[in-house]
């Protein structure tokens, strides 16, 4: 059984390296009594697939992942949620088939705040210029003291954006900003993880798990 899930990582959990997350999920699933499928080969490991990586310290609200298990139920899902470490939350789980996860991670949406909000206009111009080091910009707007934007090719990583901000002398480094990934997904669908798109007036990606009410 192949399951796709949405999860968030906040607080101290944002500092979990991306490469460690499969181990975190595998341990918590085993604690919940879930029988996992394993890869074949010389060194088998649990079959777990995640979306594009984030730098350590960047929290995320709706990240996609997939697991392969023997069986699943609502009771199993509740047990799993109780076995996860503080700061990591599973928002929704759904059985899927068809396209591989990585082929569906077309866009990523972010919120950017700066220690000096007066520099946000400069940051927006940098994003609009195409010199941010990210993928192609799909939308960008300023709301109060934050920038909301979505980009293609999320696997390029937001570390490039921070380097560009430092290079343009808009910030001195990570300590001068707060970056949050809102969601990863496609540019069409039936539900969104929250009202970010409506509130900001730009087309944010849709989540990869279409189960109503996922925050």
């Amino acid at each position: 059984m192949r399951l796709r899930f949405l999860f968030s990582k906040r607080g101290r959990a944002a500092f979990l390296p991306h490469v460690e997350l499969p181990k975190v999920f595998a341990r918590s699933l085993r604690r919940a009594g879930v029988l996992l499928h394993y890869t074949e080969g010389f060194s088998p490991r649990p079959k777990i697939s995640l979306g594009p990586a984030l730098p350590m310290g960047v929290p995320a609200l709706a990240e996609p992942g997939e697991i392969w298990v023997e069986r699943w139920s609502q009771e199993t899902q509740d047990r799993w949620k109780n076995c996860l470490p503080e700061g990591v939350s599973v928002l929704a789980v759904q059985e899927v088939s068809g396209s591989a996860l990585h082929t569906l991670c077309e866009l990523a949406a972010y919120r950017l705040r700066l220690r000096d909000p007066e520099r946000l206009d400069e940051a927006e111009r940098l994003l609009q210029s195409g010199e941010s080091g990210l993928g192609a910009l799909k939308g960008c707007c300023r709301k109060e003291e934050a920038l909301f934007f979505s980009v293609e090719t999320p696997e390029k990583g937001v570390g490039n954006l921070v380097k560009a901000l430092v290079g343009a002398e808009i910030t001195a480094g990570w300590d001068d900003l707060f970056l949050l990934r809102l969601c990863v997904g496609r540019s069409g669908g039936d539900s969104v993880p929250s009202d970010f798109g409506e509130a900001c007036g730009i087309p944010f990606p849709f989540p990869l798990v279409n189960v109503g009410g996922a925050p």
Side-chain angles (χ1 to χ4, degrees):
M1 178 183 291
R2 176 184 166 203
L3 302 174
R4 187 169 297 152
F5 63 98
L6 282 180
F7 70 95
S8 64
K9 56 172 190 168
R10 306 184 186 188
R12 293 182 179 179
F15 292 92
L16 284 169
H18 187 77
V19 295
E20 294 295 321
L21 286 174
K23 297 179 183 177
V24 169
F25 289 125
R27 285 196 297 266
S28 61
L29 285 161
R30 284 194 289 263
R31 290 194 192 104
V34 178
L35 295 176
L36 300 169
H37 284 193
Y38 283 76
T39 60
E40 299 178 356
F42 205 65
S43 180
R45 60 184 183 277
K47 290 186 68 174
I48 298 177
S49 176
L50 300 179
L54 271 176
M56 286 177 57
V58 178
L61 296 187
E63 295 292 287
E66 288 186 348
I67 53 175
W68 283 255
V69 302
E70 289 291 331
R71 63 185 69 89
W72 196 257
S73 67
Q74 184 60 51
E75 182 182 355
T76 303
Q77 184 170 323
D78 294 339
R79 289 201 307 270
W80 184 27
K81 290 181 178 181
N82 292 329
C83 292
L84 288 163
E86 183 179 356
V88 179
S89 299
V90 170
L91 310 176
V93 183
Q94 181 173 295
E95 186 175 3
V96 294
S97 60
S99 302
L101 178 64
H102 71 87
T103 66
L104 303 176
C105 298
E106 300 172 351
L107 300 173
Y110 299 89
R111 185 188 71 190
L112 173 66
R113 294 183 184 272
L114 300 180
R115 187 182 298 275
D116 182 2
E118 294 185 0
R119 309 298 298 272
L120 277 174
D121 288 340
E122 297 173 68
E124 184 174 5
R125 285 195 292 271
L126 177 67
L127 282 165
Q128 298 281 11
S129 72
E131 298 179 358
S132 65
L134 294 173
L137 191 69
K138 298 296 291 184
C140 181
C141 74
R142 180 170 175 174
K143 182 175 175 61
E144 296 178 350
E145 295 188 350
L147 281 179
F148 292 81
F149 61 95
S150 57
V151 294
E152 294 179 343
T153 58
E155 68 276 3
K156 285 192 174 182
V158 290
N160 293 332
L161 171 60
V162 178
K163 291 179 182 178
L165 290 169
V166 172
E169 299 183 346
I170 297 172
T171 66
W174 285 93
D175 289 343
D176 286 343
L177 58 88
F178 179 77
L179 193 60
L180 171 70
R181 184 146 76 190
L182 303 173
C183 59
V184 175
R186 294 171 289 182
S187 57
D190 298 326
S191 63
V192 293
S194 190
D195 61 350
F196 299 119
E198 180 181 349
C200 303
I202 63 176
F204 280 126
F206 291 80
L208 298 178
V209 176
N210 184 14
V211 283

